[in-house]
Each structure stands twice: as C-alpha cells, then as structure tokens.
Amino acid sequence: MAELPIAELPPARCSGRFTISTLLGTEEGGHGPYAPTESSGCDSAQPTQLSGSTLCTRTFGYNTVDVVPAYEHYANSKGVGDTRKGRPSLADLHSILKPDPGHLCAPVSDPQRSNGLTEAGPEETSAEPGTDPVLEPVRFGWVKGVMIRCMLNIWGVILYLRLPWITAQAGIALTWLIILMSVTVTTITGLSISAISTNGKVKSGGTYFLISRSLGPELGGSIGLIFAFANAVAVAMHTVGFAETVRDLLQEHNSLIVDPTNDIRIIGVVTVTVLLGISLAGMEWEAKAQILFFLVILVSFINYLVGTVIPATAEKQAKGFFSYRADIFAQNFVPNWRGPEGSFFSLFSIFFPSATGILAGANISGDLKDPAVAIPKGTLMAIFWTTMSYLVLSATIGACVVRDASGSLNDSVALGSPGCEGLACTFGWNFTACAQRQSCRYGLSNYYQSMSMVSGFGPLITAGIFGATLSSALACLVSAPKVFQCLCRDQLYPLIGFFGKGYGRNSEPIRGYMLTYVIAVGFILIAELNAIAPIISNFFLCSYALINFSCFHASITNSPGWRPSFRYYSKWAALFGAAVSVVIMFLLTWWAALIAFGIVIFLLGYVLYKKPDVNWGSSMQASSYNMALNYSVGLSEVDEHIKNYRPQCLVLTGPPNFRPALVDFVGTFTKNLSLMLCGNVLIAPRKQKMPDSRLTADSHTKWLMKRKIKAFYTDVVAENLRSGVQMLIQAAGLGKMRPNILVLGYKRNWRTASPQSLEDYVGILHDAFDFKYGVCLMRMKEGLNVSQVLQAHINPTFEAAENGTRGRAAPSTVDPTTLACEQQASTIFQSEQGKKTIDIYWLFDDGGLTLLIPYLMGRKKRWGKCKIRVFVGGQINRMDEERKVIVSLLSKFRLGFHEVHILPDINQKPQPEHIKRFDDLIAPFRLNDGFKDEAIVNEMRQGCPWKISDEEIDKNRVKSLRQVRLNEILLDYSRDAALIAITPPVGRKGCPSSLYMAWLETLSQDLRPPVMLIRGNQENVLTFYCQ
C-alpha cells in the first residue's frame, strides 16, 4: 500500500470520513494525474466515485476508507439536522476501490475527531446559523430528579399516623425488625433497578421500560399496563388521604361543607385538579412543587424532634408524653399486642406500603440528565435516608410516650399513691382505670396523632401530612402518564396508541395526564378506597418482583450483553427479593394477590397470542439460546435408539414460498415432532457479489412462521445445483439434530430439461444414498412450483431443475416485509381429507420408512379420518399365509394398520399399449448402438452419459415392465386415494439417468392423488422390542 504525501495533493476540499453509503465505486477507469493503476484494489490516496457525498480520511498516517472508533457508530439516534454517520461495511473494505477524478479531494486530519471517541448525543446537537435554536428539554439530576422524588413518595401518612401505633403494638425491637425487613426488599429491588438501568441507555418509560427491555414485551407489557393503572388509582388514594385530613380539621371546628362523605369528594376533586394544573405546567414546575413539599416535611420532622426534647407540659403529660425516659424506652422495647391486628405479620402488612415508592425516580427516566447515574444513586440514597427517619422516629417516640393515657388533668397523683399501677405512676399520673377498661383515649396504643402532640408546634405536623399526601399524589400523577406513554408508543395493546403523543420540548403526555385525571376523579368520587387499596399495593409488589427477577434472569443467562456498570448487586439476592415480594403479596391480602396474578396472566397471554413485532434483546431471548445450546450439546451425549428415531428432513424447497405444497407436506408429519430444514441452493459464480443472506433467510423464516410451519431455512451459494445440495447434505444440522431424509419435488420436465440438469437431479439421489439419507420424492398432478402464479422472481437454481432454462444469475434480495405479507397459497395438505384412504405400497423392505411417514400423517387431525391400507406383493397360491405374516408384523409395530392387501398379479405382463408408451418415453434417449461392443458404446456415450444403450434396455427389461405393471395396479386400486406412498426402485450407479427417470415417470403417471416415492436407507426405523 503506497503512501502519498499530503503536500503533493491539491488544496483540501473535504474532510472527515466515509459514510456507509459513500464507499462502493460504480464506474471503471479514471483519468488525470491521480488515476490509480488498473489492478489497484487497496486503499489509496486517490478519491473514489461513491454513491453519496465524497469524504476522505487520513488515519494512522495513510489514506484509508477504514475509520477509527466513534460514538455515533453505536448510537441508534441522531440530532435534528445531523447526518447519520456509520462505519463502512465489510464489502466496502473488501471490494475493489474504484476512482472518481471528478471528486478529487485531499484527505486532511481532523483534530476534533482524532480519536473518534466523541459522545455527542442528540441533546448536544447545536442549531445551524440562521435557524431558531431548538429548546432543550428540562433534565434533572440525581438529587432533584430521583432522591427527593423517591423520598417524598416513600414518606406518607403512615409515617405520621401509624408508625407510633405500630411501635406501641410491636415494641421498638420488633418495629425495627419490621422496618428492616421491609427495607431489605426495597433495597434489593433498588440494587436490581440500579443494575438494569446501568446496562445500556435508559429512555422514557420508567419501570415498564426497564422490565420490558429486560424480560421482553410479554411480561413488560402486562406490568406496564397495570403499573400505570395502579399509579393512576394511587393518585386517588393519596388525594383521599389528604381530603380526609382536611375533613377532620373541618369537623373539629364544625365547619363541614356538606357532609363528611361529600366533603371528601369535593376537596379531593379540587385538589387533584390543582395537581393536574401543576403537572400540565411542565416538569420544571412540578419539580419546584415537590421541593416545596420536601421542605415542609423536613420542617415538620425537625419540629417533631425539637418537641421531644422540650420539657412536657401538664397537658402533654396527661396525654402520656414525659420526654426521654429510660424506663419508658425499656417498657416500649418489648411488644404489647392488642386487638385483632395485634400480630407481627398484621403490623408488617400495615407498615410495608410505607416503604414502597422507590420507583418514583425511575418512572421519569426520560427526564433525567443521566439515568444510569441518577437512578442508582438517587434511589439508594432515598432508601437510606427514609429508613433512618423511620428508625429514628420509632426509637424517639418509643422513649417519650407511654402506651396508655387518659388525657385528663385530674389523673395526676402524688408519687407512691396506693392503687396506682403502671409506669405513669412513677411520673405522678394514674391511668390505671382507663388502662384496665382499655378505654384510654391517649397514649401510643390509642392516639394516632401522637406525633402532633409531641411536636413543638402541632400544625406543622398537619402540614407535613399534607406535604406527604400531596407529594405522593403528584408523583403518581406524573408517573402514570409517563409509563403509559411509552407503553402506547410500543403498540403492544390495541386502542391505546392515541395516548402516546407527546407535546413540547419534554414530549409531555398531555393526553395521558387527562386520562389519569379522569381515572383519579372517578375513584375519588367513590370516596371509599379500602377495597381497592390492597390490589394497588399488590400491583406495586408485582413490579418489584419482576424487576428483581429481571436482574436475576439477565445475570443467570450469562449473556455477553449483560454488562451493568453498577456492580453492587447479586443475582441470588435479586431472586430472593423476587420470591419475598411474591410472599408479601399473599401476606398483605391473599385475594388481592390472586386478582393481581390473574390480571398479569391475562395480559401476558394476550401479548403471547398477538406476538408483537418487537425485538429488544431481552434476557428471555438469551435464555432461549442457552436452553437450546444446552439441550443440543446434551443430545450429543445420548446414544441413538430405534425407538427414538425421528424423520428429520432436509427439504429442497428453493424459496419456500415457491413450493408451499412441499412445505406443507413435510410440515404435516414433522410439526412438534422432528426437524424440518428448508434448503435453497443459490446458483451463481463464486466471485459474484451475493445479496445479504441474513436478510434473505429472515424473509423466508417469517414466511414459514406466518404459515405456522415449524422449520428452519438455510441457503448455500454454489456454481451448480448438485454441488450445492452436496454442501447441504453434509453441513446441514447441528450435532444429533441433523437431517436423515432428503425430500424434494419430482422433476416433471425431465424430458425437456437440459441433459446436465437431468444428470444433476439423479446424481442428487445417488449422493443422498451415499450419505446414508432416506429419499422422498413428492409428485403432484398440478406440480409443486407456484412461482409463476405468484409472479415472483424465479430462483435460477430450481428453474434449471424443473423448467429447463439455462444460464446463471444471482438471486435478488427478498424484502422480508413483502414476503411475509404475501398471500398464502392453499394446498391439499392444509385441507380436511375426510374418509378417504392413504394407500401404502410397501413393495421392498427399506427399514420401515415407507410405513412410518404415512403413520405420522395419519395422527394429524386433518388426516385422522383416513383409512390406511397396506399393499404388498405376493403369490396367488399363498395369499392367505402371506397376508397373515404381514398383519402379524404390522401388529408388532403397533401402527394400527389392519387392512392389508396382497397383490398376486404384480408380476403379470402389462398391457401392450402401456408397454409401447414406455418405449416411446425412452426413445429420444436411446443410443441405438445395435449391441456393439463396450468400447464402442463408451465412445458413443462420451459427452452424453444419460443416453441408454440397447444392452442396458435389454438387461433392465423386466424391471422396466414391473414399473409399467405397478402403474396399472395403482390406477386400479388407488385412483381415489388421498395419498399414495410407494417404495420406488433404487437406480444403481451407472444406470443412465434418463432410464431411471423413465421408471419413476411410468410408475407415478396419470395418478390424481399426491404420490410419495419414499425409500429408506435400509436401516430399521421401526422396532417391536421395548429395549
């Protein structure tokens, strides 16, 4: 490769590198001072005539089409106005580079792309001069976008109203255990989220996006739909919680608007409308509102902590608050179960929903600056700080407030007064009476507003409750449309695409917001969500279980594509988290868990049935490969046995859509049973450029799938049909999953086809027997090739084999979409056969394959009503004995064939007119050598080995007449059969191909039913032994 100094070139007119569409030359020759030599086939300094704008590059000191690594080669998105860049294809680098003097330019070094490792994403695209700059979408970091959002969603009314009561019931020790158990599940889920979100670029869609891209559309779609719905209903739940608190305040001041129930509806609808307005104002305003709520909660929490150290007033002491006391802490450290909910798991089920909400940050993944950094960092930090707040609150309030208090100032007594029982007596209060009657109104066990009572300023706790409920409602109001929008855009379910449209620079799902608003208002008007709340909690737990399972499944499949940058996760911990999430679902509410599972399974079944055309590289695909690989390798260790014999077919279909009857025939007896491989030989000169074989294979595979044929497709490039089939016979299959039967169509045009194609066709049959294959020829009266009916491009391979045309040409590339949408041709093998017969002519013992294939077809529903008849040759004076022998043999094979016919007249001489027809058939192929000696015959046959000498005709006269007679028998017995299976003669090597084809033609001519000429490889495929 010669180098050309830069100084010798004209001034630079272009720089950069070749794109994928600007690399292959189409014109020969070149003129001017920089034209290459005639044999130039390597990279050079000369420019080339390419199919687009001509760019040049200088890499490592010399000019080349090859490029250095660059970000845009791997990105599947581009900015507005950004030209799509890509690396050259292998053909671009491998083929001869042709010059174009008209686009001469000097390659120059681009310092900005010296290493090519730029990471200019679509967000960094700058606008061109003179155009309006595109507004950048609002993006959030890990604090504002994830941590604060998750903390607000985790914190809720349970923090203020139920955690003190749980502490009184379970004691500080078991309350901490409940908290840590809950946090263990959410932490494991957080680690799984972190691993999944750092395994590639995360787009909008949050939880749905993470699960669907990891486990596939089936589970991802079902979870995405119910998760979006759960978030929409959760908006109503949190709003009703806020409305109930406001209603209680109004009741205290006797200021109800209408009545307690309708007040909840009025306040709830007004509140959710205000929250909708904040959401519609944009993510920036929503984030500001969340920060405001966050500050309110922090102030309320600080206010509570300050209140615990302020000396208790008499009023607060009457309600059970005595500041920090070691003996109060000791008493509250152990449990004191009360009421029907006084059990560990009951309290756990009450507390656990307050630990959820860790997905709030992931659900707005499309609005984060760097989701791979923000989601792990923000989610785990939110779990840590909320856990600390729960632990601190439980410990502090358990050290300050006794379990029972009357609230009456009259219950103060002198220390050591007789008749006073309980811890409060040591502090000068006697709550014995109400404690014994269990009628105390205050204390940890009785008063839900204990935090408000302890705090320095009670209204701030109420403000904290408002902040917790409204922030959770707002987070759910944003999460539901974001998740639903991504689901709508993927079009996994019908009638929801309308809601996928985005508006503005952040692609806000305005329609999704309105739908969420309608759902929320509908459930707010119910005003009683106790029945729906358990189902919603189970929906969220379903999401946790599947996120953990996604992480475990992606890890266990050992896919090279699973490379999360977050390393602090464990696949076994993820599996444990998934299992625990399912257990907790049933601990919370078993009937709600069953409903949640039922809905997931229903939605899963729908997506499995519809089979959406998406490919996300899920771990399910990796798992399928792993299972297939392991089973295939394991199968190689299994010894073959006749009982486990399966007909594994290599079917020479050419393009499968050209011979649908042949495909349907083999698919009938191989479906769910054995291997079917459709082979196609592409005839072209070796040096000719071939189309992308993967694209062609994909198109034919999709056609087979649409036809519901379970088969593989493979093709090879060869210079002639026979060598291509030899490649397929030797190389097709994998391990023990290799074909053992060659199936091909009968060559109807053998008399008019080129002699070489006739030789190749018969040679293929010889090759199959040489490689120990069974052979099956399918002949149908109307033929098999429907390519002319389809008006499609005819593959020259099988054009030569059937229609006698000559010449070679490369096959055109088949468009997968066009081929998959092609109208499917119906064949006889797709229709119900009714009460016809399948006639088997088992004339020669080939190992039993002639019996096995019809038996397998008879097991299928479409052929199940057909009666199977077996015909064998015999002598007229021993018909009964021979019939009994065959019936006995068939009964041992357990095939269920009971109708056996002996053909005693098989050796009779055929009718003269039929003999004459056979003689006329072979007449054009005769040498007419007049029984000359062998040397002269061989000289006459040079260049035409298919010719038949007089000696060969005479030597094979009996065999020829046998085929004529068999055709007469077939016409007599099987004219109205649904299918005829017959054992054909085997042509020995050296037998002229034209004579062998004449035998097959004579044997099967004039028959209306499909004729299957099938011959095994003389090895048993049936046995009557059980070992």
Side-chain angles (χ1 to χ4, degrees):
M1 184 180 295
E3 295 187 15
L4 189 64
I6 298 295
E8 296 181 9
L9 293 172
R13 298 182 57 184
C14 65
S15 63
R17 58 189 176 81
F18 289 100
T19 64
I20 198 165
S21 60
T22 61
L23 295 166
L24 289 178
T26 55
E27 295 183 10
E28 299 282 351
H31 304 283
Y34 299 105
T37 61
E38 184 178 351
S39 62
S40 175
C42 59
D43 296 343
S44 64
Q46 285 83 359
T48 57
Q49 206 255 288
L50 303 166
S51 58
S53 60
T54 304
L55 300 175
C56 305
T57 186
R58 183 173 178 81
T59 307
F60 306 124
Y62 66 92
N63 301 314
T64 178
V65 171
D66 222 340
V67 297
V68 293
Y71 169 84
E72 53 265 28
H73 298 166
Y74 299 91
N76 59 2
S77 60
K78 62 187 181 70
V80 179
D82 184 21
T83 304
R84 178 78 170 129
K85 299 181 177 66
R87 72 176 68 85
S89 69
L90 186 60
D92 299 333
L93 300 175
H94 193 221
S95 58
I96 297 175
L97 199 63
K98 300 175 184 177
D100 176 23
H103 292 80
L104 184 64
C105 64
V108 295
S109 176
D110 186 350
Q112 295 180 352
R113 292 208 178 265
S114 58
N115 62 0
L117 296 177
T118 58
E119 293 195 15
E123 296 86 359
E124 302 169 9
T125 307
S126 58
E128 297 180 1
T131 61
D132 295 332
V134 179
L135 292 175
E136 289 292 329
V138 178
R139 300 287 188 229
F140 304 113
W142 70 273
V143 175
K144 191 176 179 181
V146 181
M147 189 186 78
I148 291 178
R149 190 176 298 275
C150 286
M151 290 178 71
L152 289 172
N153 212 21
I154 293 171
W155 281 330
V157 291
I158 291 178
L159 170 69
Y160 294 97
L161 302 181
R162 291 293 183 272
L163 189 56
W165 174 77
I166 292 173
T167 304
Q169 288 267 4
I172 296 172
L174 291 183
T175 300
W176 276 39
L177 180 61
I178 289 173
I179 294 171
L180 294 176
M181 284 177 60
S182 303
V183 169
T184 298
V185 177
T186 56
T187 302
I188 291 173
T189 307
L191 295 175
S192 298
I193 292 173
S194 302
I196 297 172
S197 62
T198 58
N199 188 51
K201 191 172 182 179
V202 178
K203 298 181 181 179
S204 61
T207 306
Y208 160 71
F209 183 88
L210 295 176
I211 296 177
S212 62
R213 270 52 176 183
S214 181
L215 285 179
E218 297 84 7
L219 283 172
S222 56
I223 283 298
L225 196 59
I226 67 171
F227 187 77
F229 177 75
N231 272 284
V233 178
V235 174
M237 291 178 58
H238 294 301
T239 305
V240 167
F242 167 78
E244 286 178 347
T245 308
V246 176
R247 190 268 318 268
D248 292 343
L249 289 174
L250 293 176
Q251 274 185 321
E252 287 182 15
H253 297 86
N254 296 318
S255 302
L256 288 175
I257 303 172
V258 182
D259 58 62
T261 302
N262 284 317
D263 280 10
I264 293 177
R265 292 170 178 156
I266 294 170
I267 297 168
V269 171
V270 172
T271 303
V272 79
T273 304
V274 173
L275 294 179
L276 176 66
I278 295 173
S279 302
L280 292 178
M283 288 298 296
E284 199 168 3
W285 283 95
E286 187 267 348
K288 291 177 180 177
Q290 293 284 34
I291 291 176
L292 176 63
F293 293 139
F294 182 72
L295 293 176
V296 169
I297 293 175
L298 283 185
V299 170
S300 71
F301 200 71
I302 294 170
N303 168 56
Y304 157 76
L305 292 176
V306 170
T308 60
V309 297
I310 296 176
T313 63
E315 271 191 5
K316 288 189 176 182
Q317 288 184 354
K319 294 180 179 180
F321 172 61
F322 297 98
S323 294
Y324 290 105
R325 300 294 177 98
D327 44 2
I328 295 179
F329 181 86
Q331 187 187 55
N332 288 335
F333 190 77
V334 295
N336 182 17
W337 309 112
R338 298 184 185 183
E341 295 175 334
S343 67
F344 180 82
F345 285 109
S346 295
L347 296 180
F348 176 80
S349 64
I350 292 172
F351 174 79
F352 183 80
S354 66
T356 60
I358 62 173
L359 301 178
N363 285 338
I364 62 161
S365 55
D367 298 298
L368 301 175
K369 290 179 182 176
D370 189 354
V373 173
I375 292 176
K377 199 171 182 181
T379 302
L380 295 176
M381 288 299 291
I383 294 173
F384 173 77
W385 288 117
T386 53
T387 303
M388 293 304 299
S389 68
Y390 286 139
L391 295 175
V392 168
L393 175 60
S394 174
T396 54
I397 204 163
C400 297
V401 185
V402 296
R403 284 191 168 105
D404 294 297
S406 63
S408 174
L409 295 174
N410 297 327
D411 287 339
S412 60
V413 295
L415 294 176
S417 298
C420 183
E421 298 178 1
L423 187 61
C425 297
T426 61
F427 308 132
W429 293 86
N430 184 4
F431 303 137
T432 306
C434 73
Q436 290 178 347
R437 294 193 305 267
Q438 295 187 354
S439 60
C440 295
R441 294 179 56 199
Y442 295 94
L444 281 182
S445 295
N446 310 294
Y447 189 47
Y448 289 156
Q449 304 283 354
S450 296
M451 275 189 70
S452 180
M453 180 264 293
V454 171
S455 65
F457 183 60
L460 283 179
I461 299 298
T462 303
I465 295 174
F466 288 171
T469 53
L470 292 177
S471 63
S472 296
L474 187 57
C476 293
L477 184 59
V478 171
S479 296
K482 295 282 186 181
V483 172
F484 193 57
Q485 182 185 37
C486 184
L487 178 64
C488 294
R489 288 176 172 174
D490 287 338
Q491 298 181 344
L492 300 183
Y493 298 101
L495 307 177
I496 62 174
F498 173 79
F499 298 100
K501 183 176 176 59
Y503 296 86
R505 55 182 177 174
N506 269 52
S507 188
E508 294 289 349
I510 304 296
R511 297 173 179 176
Y513 280 130
M514 300 308 299
L515 178 63
T516 304
Y517 174 76
V518 170
I519 294 173
V521 168
F523 281 96
I524 288 171
L525 294 178
I526 295 174
E528 180 56 58
L529 296 177
N530 289 341
I532 201 72
I535 300 178
I536 302 307
S537 298
N538 277 290
F539 282 169
F540 287 121
L541 277 168
C542 267
S543 303
Y544 291 177
L546 282 178
I547 286 174
N548 284 309
F549 183 73
S550 299
C551 182
F552 166 76
H553 197 263
S555 303
I556 203 71
T557 54
N558 294 322
S559 172
W562 175 248
R563 302 185 303 274
S565 55
F566 182 85
R567 300 291 183 182
Y568 306 103
Y569 73 96
S570 167
K571 60 185 176 183
W572 300 115
L575 179 62
F576 173 76
V580 170
S581 298
V582 174
V583 171
I584 293 174
M585 288 176 65
F586 285 93
L587 286 178
L588 291 179
T589 318
W590 65 267
W591 58 266
L594 292 178
I595 291 175
F597 274 114
I599 294 174
V600 170
I601 291 172
F602 173 77
L603 296 174
L604 171 67
Y606 176 82
V607 180
L608 285 172
Y609 173 75
K610 295 297 290 184
K611 292 184 175 63
D613 188 17
V614 294
N615 182 13
W616 295 325
S618 69
S619 61
M620 288 298 181
Q621 294 172 310
S623 176
S624 299
Y625 176 85
N626 272 7
M627 290 175 62
L629 181 62
N630 291 333
Y631 281 125
S632 297
V633 173
L635 192 62
S636 299
E637 302 173 0
V638 178
D639 293 333
E640 294 181 353
H641 194 282
I642 300 174
K643 287 200 303 181
N644 294 323
Y645 174 85
R646 293 170 186 262
Q648 303 186 115
C649 299
L650 171 60
V651 192
L652 300 185
T653 59
N657 60 314
F658 284 4
R659 291 166 182 81
L662 192 61
V663 171
D664 292 338
F665 161 64
V666 181
T668 301
F669 64 84
T670 59
K671 186 175 183 181
N672 299 325
L673 176 80
S674 59
L675 174 69
M676 175 179 174
L677 188 63
C678 295
N680 184 14
V681 180
L682 305 173
I683 296 181
R686 175 66 186 87
K687 295 183 179 180
Q688 182 171 333
K689 181 181 179 296
M690 299 304 298
D692 188 347
S693 61
R694 286 179 299 179
L695 181 64
T696 306
D698 287 346
S699 65
H700 292 306
T701 300
K702 287 182 179 179
W703 184 89
L704 289 168
M705 291 171 61
K706 184 178 179 182
R707 202 170 180 87
K708 298 181 180 180
I709 299 293
K710 295 187 177 181
F712 298 97
Y713 169 86
T714 187
D715 52 35
V716 295
V717 180
E719 295 194 354
N720 59 69
L721 176 61
R722 185 175 182 181
S723 62
V725 175
Q726 287 173 343
M727 295 180 197
L728 288 172
I729 289 175
Q730 295 179 79
L734 181 67
K736 294 291 178 71
M737 299 282 290
R738 299 178 64 86
N740 50 30
I741 299 175
L742 181 69
V743 183
L744 65 165
Y746 177 75
K747 188 175 180 62
R748 300 172 67 204
N749 64 333
W750 65 272
R751 284 171 289 179
T752 57
S754 64
Q756 186 57 49
S757 69
L758 177 61
E759 281 287 292
D760 285 348
Y761 184 83
V762 176
I764 288 171
L765 304 183
H766 289 305
D767 295 336
F769 288 129
D770 286 341
F771 289 108
K772 298 292 184 181
Y773 272 58
V775 172
C776 178
L777 301 177
M778 171 54 64
R779 181 174 187 178
M780 297 181 66
K781 187 175 182 180
E782 62 274 16
L784 293 170
N785 193 337
V786 297
S787 58
Q788 293 181 348
V789 178
L790 296 175
Q791 295 181 348
H793 170 77
I794 296 179
N795 181 355
T797 299
F798 286 85
E799 181 74 11
E802 291 191 10
N803 297 336
T805 59
R806 305 191 183 203
R808 295 168 175 172
S812 64
T813 303
V814 182
D815 180 20
T817 306
T818 304
L819 186 56
C821 296
E822 176 186 292
Q823 184 177 1
Q824 297 279 347
S826 68
T827 68
I828 188 175
F829 298 101
Q830 291 181 317
S831 58
E832 293 286 341
Q833 297 302 312
K835 296 183 178 180
K836 298 181 182 178
T837 62
I838 298 177
D839 291 349
I840 304 172
Y841 288 82
W842 196 24
L843 304 179
F844 307 102
D845 190 351
D846 59 346
L849 188 63
T850 307
L851 297 175
L852 181 62
I853 299 301
Y855 165 74
L856 295 176
M857 294 192 68
R859 295 201 308 183
K860 301 301 178 180
K861 183 178 179 181
R862 291 170 180 163
W863 297 79
K865 295 180 181 179
C866 291
K867 182 171 62 174
I868 298 181
R869 303 187 299 178
V870 179
F871 296 84
V872 294
Q875 298 179 9
I876 193 168
N877 57 345
R878 300 183 64 248
M879 286 181 57
D880 290 339
E881 293 84 353
E882 291 182 355
R883 185 180 181 281
K884 289 179 181 178
V885 169
I886 297 298
V887 169
S888 175
L889 178 61
L890 294 178
S891 66
K892 288 183 172 63
F893 287 147
R894 306 172 307 282
L895 296 174
F897 300 165
H898 302 296
E899 186 170 344
V900 177
H901 297 268
I902 305 298
L903 302 174
D905 52 352
I906 195 171
N907 292 318
Q908 290 182 3
K909 187 175 182 180
Q911 297 180 16
E913 59 270 22
H914 294 158
I915 298 175
K916 182 179 184 302
R917 184 169 62 174
F918 175 79
D919 292 336
D920 294 341
L921 185 63
I922 63 173
F925 302 96
R926 295 185 61 168
L927 271 177
N928 295 316
D929 53 313
F931 296 95
K932 296 182 174 66
D933 59 40
E934 186 176 352
I936 297 176
V937 170
N938 289 337
E939 184 178 350
M940 295 176 64
R941 295 179 65 170
Q942 281 186 353
C944 51
W946 56 90
K947 291 285 188 177
I948 313 169
S949 68
D950 293 347
E951 183 182 358
E952 288 167 331
I953 292 176
D954 187 61
K955 184 172 60 177
N956 293 289
R957 189 63 178 175
V958 175
K959 196 171 186 178
S960 300
L961 294 179
R962 167 69 68 87
Q963 313 313 317
V964 178
R965 176 58 187 155
L966 282 174
N967 179 252
E968 294 176 349
I969 293 174
L970 291 173
L971 288 171
D972 289 340
Y973 288 94
S974 303
R975 188 182 298 273
D976 297 320
L979 176 69
I980 299 173
I982 187 169
T983 312
V986 175
R988 292 187 178 276
K989 293 180 180 180
C991 176
S993 56
S994 55
L995 178 59
Y996 185 68
M997 289 303 299
W999 289 344
L1000 299 184
E1001 175 73 24
T1002 300
L1003 179 63
S1004 58
Q1005 66 186 351
D1006 298 336
L1007 293 171
R1008 184 195 60 80
V1011 180
M1012 176 173 57
L1013 301 164
I1014 184 166
R1015 185 82 192 212
N1017 62 357
Q1018 301 303 111
E1019 294 181 1
N1020 288 351
V1021 300
L1022 297 173
T1023 181
F1024 41 77
Y1025 294 109
C1026 61
Q1027 63 178 9

